[in-house]
Amino acid sequence: MTTSTDNRPAGAIPGLDHAPTTHHALLAWVHEVAELTTPEKVVWCDGSDDEWRRLTISLVEAGTLVRVPQKPHSFLATSDPRDVARAEDRTYICSENADDAGPTNNWMDPVDMNIIMTELYRGSMSGRTMYVLPFCMGPLAEENPKLGVEITDSAYVAVSMRLMTRMGAMALEKFGEDADFVKALHSVGAPLKPGQADVAWPCSDVKYITHFPEDRTIWSYGSGYGGNSLLGKKSYALRIASVMARDEGWLAEHMLILKLTSPAGAVHYVAAAFPSACGKTNLAMLQPTLPGWKAETLGDDIAWMRFGDDGRLYAVNPEFGFFGVAPGTGYRTNPVAMRMVEQGNTIFTNVALTDTGDVWWEGMTDTAPEHLTDWQGRDWHPDSTEPAAHPNSRFCTPIQQCPSIAPEWDDPAGVPISAILFGGRRASTIPLVTESRHWQHGVFLGATLSSETTAAATGEVGVVRRDPMAMLPFTGYHVGDYFAHWLSLGERADPAKLSRIFGVNWFRRGEDGRFLWPGFRENSRVLAWILGRIEGTADATDTPLGAVPTAGDLDLTGLDINPADVDEALTIDPAEWSAELDLIRDWFATVGDKLPTALREEFDALTRRLA
Ligand code: GTP
Ligand code: SPV
Ligand code: MN
C-alpha cells in the first residue's frame, strides 16, 4: 500500500521498526496503519512508570494536562467543549447484515464504512506521534487472556489506557507469535501541517465510533473523550465482547461487581446494571450504614460473566481502573472514591480547579469554594449560573488504589454472582426494589429497564428512554437476539444455582420533587433485604410486578426518615403502570420480530396481573 501523503516509505517513520514483538499480524497491521495515517513517529508503549512520566510531561508541555499540585502525580485535562461525552448518534455497529445490528444501533454496510473511514484516516496522524498500546482486558492469568491493541495519535489516550487496562509489556508478553487480538484504531482526526501549532484538545467535528463485529475490529475517529477513545472499555469490553459472548455462551454486561459480607459472615457477590451516570460507581464503593455489614469492590462498570463448572454464574471485571463520574462524588456520598483519588495517580477531566491547586466539582463538599477556575478556564463563584465542573466530568484512577477493593479482584476464576440488579433513574412508577419471579421474569425486568438520560452521552438530559440491561448504547448486535441469548442461558442452567434477578430504583421522587429514598450508603438496607430474600429470611408482598417489601420489611434501624416516604418509594400506582405498559408495548414494537415469545408472554402476564 502506498498511501503516504508525503510519499515517505513507512519504513522510514522513526520508531516504526522498534517493535518489541515478532507477532506477525500485529506488525503487519501497525505498518499498514502507519502507511495510511502517516504519523511523524511511532512509539510502542511498554506501560512503565518512566513512560507515564515522559508522556505526562509532554502532555503538560502541550497544554492538554495541567498538574494538580495538591494530589500526587495527578493532572487535569479540559476538553474541547464539543467533546465531553459519548457520541451515541455517531456510534455504529457495521455487521455484514443490517439485521444483525438491529433497531437500537446505527448501522452502515462495512464496505461503505471502510471507504469513508479509510479516507478520513488517510494522513490523519500527520505531525503527530502514533502510539501502539498492547493491552489485556481481564486478568492476565486467564487461560485465554482477552488481548487487544489500540493504535492512537493521542497521548491522553495512551496515559488513560495505562490506567484503565493492563497495558504495555505485561500484555504484550501474552501475544507470543500469533495470539488473537482485537484491533482498535483511534485518531483524533486533527492532522498537523508542517509548522502548524497544536491545540490543547485536538478533535474533529466529524466523528465516527465504529465497530466491525465479524472482524472484531474497532475504528474510532474525531473524539478524544474517554467513552469514544479508550477503546478497551465500551468498544471492546462491551460492544465487541457482547458479540464474542453471544457466540461463546457468556455475558458481557454494563455492570458493577460488589462483595457483601453479612453480620453472620455470609458472603454474597452482587452484579448490578444501571445506565450511565445512574449509580454503579457509588454502589460499587458502598460503605454500608447497616451495622455489621461489610462491602468490598470488584468493579464499577463492566462485568464479564460465564458459568463455572459448579453451574453458577461467575463474574470478572475486565478493567484495571475506574473512569468515574465526578459530580455527586463527595465525602458524604462516596468517601471511598474520595480517599481513592486523594492518593493521586489520577487524571481528572473537565472538573474545576481551586485557587490552592486542587480539584473541585459539584457535590464534593457541601459548600463550594468562594472562587474556582471552571472546566472551561473561566472564573467561577458560588453564584455563577453554570456548574463549575462539567456534569460528565470524570476521574480516572488505578483500581488497586481503591480502599475497598476485594482481595479477589484479579482472580481469573471470577466470583459467583448471587444476585443481579437492574436499576434505572425514574422519578415515578418504578418501586425502590422488586424481586423477579424467576429468570425469565428477571430478563423481562432487564429488557424493559428504563431511565432518564444523563450527561454521559451527548443529547438531551432527563428524557425517559428504554435502556435494556443498561446496554442500549453498548450491545454489539440485535437487541432481540441479545434478549434471546439471556433467556437461553437461563434455560440451560440449574434454576437453584442461577443468580436471582431484582429491579431497583434509587431515584423515585415525591410530589415536591425531592428523592424519597436517601440512597448512597443507605442502599445497603435494600441490599440486605435482597440477600435476605435469597437466604429466605426477608419478607415481601406478592405484587403484580413481583415480590416487593413494605417499609416494615426493610431494616431501617437508625435511619432518620419518614417511613411514609419509604412506602411511597415502594408504591405501585395503577395509573402510572397503565402509562408504563403503553411505553413497554411501544418498545417491544421497536424490537420487532426478533422479540422472544417468552418476553411477550411476560408482558401479557404483567398486563393481566395489573388489570
Ligand atoms: P457510568 O460511569 O457513566 O457508567 O456511571 P455510574 O453508573 O457508575 O454512575 P455513578 O455511580 O458515578 O453515579 C452518577 C450520579 O448518580 C452521581 O452524580 C451520583 O451522585 C448519583 N447517584 C449515585 N447513587 C445515587 C443514589 O443512591 N441516590 C441518588 N439520589 N443519586 C445517586
Ligand atoms: C458510561 O458512559 O457509561 C461510562 C463512561 O462509563 S464512558 O467510558 O465515557 O462511556
Ligand atoms: Mn458506564
Side-chain angles (χ1 to χ4, degrees):
M1 204 178 4
T2 48
T3 46
S4 176
T5 49
D6 56 3
N7 292 324
R8 182 171 53 177
I13 299 176
L16 181 59
D17 291 329
H18 299 167
T21 176
T22 51
H23 189 291
H24 309 290
L26 173 55
L27 287 170
W29 179 58
V30 171
H31 272 80
E32 187 191 319
V33 171
E35 284 183 25
L36 176 64
T37 60
T38 65
E40 193 172 273
K41 61 177 182 189
V42 175
V43 170
W44 294 77
C45 289
D46 61 13
S48 63
D49 288 346
D50 212 44
E51 178 179 273
W52 161 273
R53 265 191 297 275
R54 278 197 308 276
L55 289 176
T56 51
I57 287 169
S58 76
L59 282 161
V60 169
E61 281 167 2
T64 309
L65 298 183
V66 297
R67 285 186 192 281
V68 176
Q70 297 285 345
K71 292 195 165 43
H73 313 294
S74 295
F75 302 88
L76 168 64
T78 47
S79 78
D80 185 307
R82 295 164 299 179
D83 196 24
V84 293
R86 281 183 297 100
E88 293 183 359
D89 56 333
R90 304 305 307 156
T91 301
Y92 288 80
I93 301 297
C94 293
S95 46
E96 275 153 28
N97 298 313
D99 204 36
D100 287 330
T104 59
N105 288 307
N106 299 310
W107 178 84
M108 196 189 290
D109 187 294
V111 174
D112 295 336
M113 184 62 92
N114 192 303
I115 291 169
I116 292 174
M117 292 195 71
T118 299
E119 287 319 304
L120 289 171
Y121 282 132
R122 196 180 299 284
S124 76
M125 297 189 186
S126 291
R128 298 193 180 280
T129 302
M130 176 176 122
Y131 301 94
V132 183
L133 317 170
F135 64 91
C136 178
M137 300 309 290
L140 289 159
E142 186 88 53
E143 201 178 307
N144 290 303
K146 290 275 184 288
L147 303 173
V149 175
E150 178 159 354
I151 297 181
T152 178
D153 54 7
S154 162
Y156 168 84
V157 167
V159 291
S160 302
M161 281 291 284
R162 198 250 183 164
L163 295 173
M164 293 305 296
T165 70
R166 295 150 173 95
M167 190 274 273
M170 62 174 145
L172 195 58
E173 209 177 279
K174 303 287 173 184
F175 277 66
E177 295 283 310
D178 55 7
D180 282 339
F181 69 97
V182 166
K183 294 175 181 161
L185 173 56
H186 171 254
S187 172
V188 292
L192 292 168
K193 295 191 190 72
Q196 183 184 342
D198 203 358
V199 293
W201 186 274
C203 61
S204 167
D205 286 335
V206 180
K207 293 180 173 58
Y208 284 95
I209 299 94
T210 300
H211 307 76
F212 301 94
E214 284 93 358
D215 294 341
R216 314 284 199 240
T217 294
I218 304 156
W219 280 5
S220 171
Y221 180 91
S223 170
Y225 169 73
N228 303 327
S229 70
L230 310 181
L231 301 182
K233 193 171 174 59
K234 304 300 183 175
S235 287
Y236 183 158
L238 289 177
R239 298 193 189 101
I240 296 292
S242 65
V243 177
M244 295 173 165
R246 173 198 65 190
D247 295 348
E248 298 165 11
W250 49 283
L251 290 166
E253 298 298 326
H254 192 201
M255 292 181 180
L256 67 91
I257 312 168
L258 175 67
K259 177 184 185 182
L260 286 162
T261 308
S262 75
V267 173
H268 285 283
Y269 298 92
V270 173
F274 308 156
S276 303
C278 289
K280 289 184 301 302
T281 304
N282 279 270
L283 194 66
M285 295 177 190
L286 173 88
Q287 291 302 289
T289 44
L290 266 188
W293 285 83
K294 184 175 179 190
E296 291 160 275
T297 309
L298 287 111
D300 83 326
D301 199 51
I302 301 177
W304 285 353
M305 301 193 287
R306 64 178 76 239
F307 285 102
D309 294 338
D310 63 357
R312 299 190 69 187
L313 199 52
Y314 283 77
V316 300
N317 172 12
E319 300 195 275
F320 203 48
F322 300 112
F323 187 59
V325 177
T329 305
Y331 294 99
R332 219 162 18 81
T333 53
N334 192 349
V336 169
M338 294 309 298
R339 278 195 279 142
M340 177 171 81
V341 301
E342 261 157 22
Q343 293 166 57
N345 310 304
T346 296
I347 296 178
F348 300 93
T349 302
N350 290 341
V351 303
L353 269 186
T354 69
D355 294 347
T356 56
D358 209 345
V359 288
W360 193 85
W361 49 77
E362 278 68 21
M364 179 198 278
T365 51
D366 287 338
T367 49
E370 276 310 305
H371 177 258
L372 293 164
T373 306
D374 82 359
W375 69 280
Q376 295 188 79
R378 303 173 302 197
D379 281 326
W380 187 95
H381 299 278
D383 58 359
S384 295
T385 51
E386 285 180 52
H390 186 276
N392 190 39
S393 54
R394 301 243 165 195
F395 54 81
C396 186
T397 304
I399 191 167
Q400 278 130 306
Q401 246 170 253
C402 178
S404 62
I405 197 73
E408 58 274 52
W409 71 273
D410 194 29
D411 185 346
V415 294
I417 298 298
S418 299
I420 292 174
L421 277 48
F422 291 119
R425 183 185 283 270
R426 286 293 304 268
S428 71
T429 320
I430 310 296
L432 176 62
V433 59
T434 313
E435 180 188 6
S436 69
R437 300 163 164 242
H438 40 65
W439 182 264
Q440 176 175 307
H441 181 233
V443 173
F444 175 80
L445 279 189
T448 58
L449 184 65
S450 57
S451 196
E452 294 151 22
T453 51
T454 66
T458 57
E460 214 181 325
V461 168
V463 185
V464 174
R465 69 174 186 183
R466 295 299 124 178
D467 193 340
M469 282 80 172
M471 284 285 283
L472 180 71
F474 308 122
T475 311
Y477 60 104
H478 194 296
V479 70
D481 293 334
Y482 171 71
F483 294 159
H485 181 57
W486 264 88
L487 290 165
S488 77
L489 291 181
E491 279 156 20
R492 276 184 277 154
D494 174 353
K497 294 178 177 166
L498 262 180
S499 324
R500 302 260 290 268
I501 301 179
F502 296 79
V504 298
N505 176 21
W506 314 141
F507 299 92
R508 200 147 172 190
R509 293 174 191 261
E511 283 191 345
D512 53 2
R514 88 208 133 78
F515 290 117
L516 290 166
W517 176 249
F520 299 104
R521 300 182 58 189
E522 305 300 352
N523 293 333
S524 54
R525 300 170 191 274
V526 175
L527 291 171
W529 181 83
I530 285 171
L531 298 186
R533 292 300 291 169
I534 290 173
E535 293 190 338
T537 56
D539 290 329
T541 307
D542 190 32
T543 78
L545 307 189
V548 175
T550 60
D553 296 328
L554 297 174
D555 187 345
L556 302 178
T557 320
L559 182 61
D560 182 18
I561 187 179
N562 181 353
D565 278 356
V566 182
D567 276 322
E568 197 181 332
L570 289 159
T571 304
I572 299 163
D573 180 289
E576 286 177 349
W577 271 92
S578 162
E580 189 71 9
L581 287 177
D582 289 342
L583 294 173
I584 296 175
R585 192 177 297 109
D586 291 349
W587 160 235
F588 278 180
T590 306
V591 176
D593 292 345
K594 285 194 176 187
L595 181 77
T597 313
L599 295 185
R600 193 165 308 279
E601 285 168 6
E602 286 296 331
F603 177 76
D604 292 341
L606 173 63
T607 309
R608 279 195 303 275
R609 292 196 299 267
L610 282 164

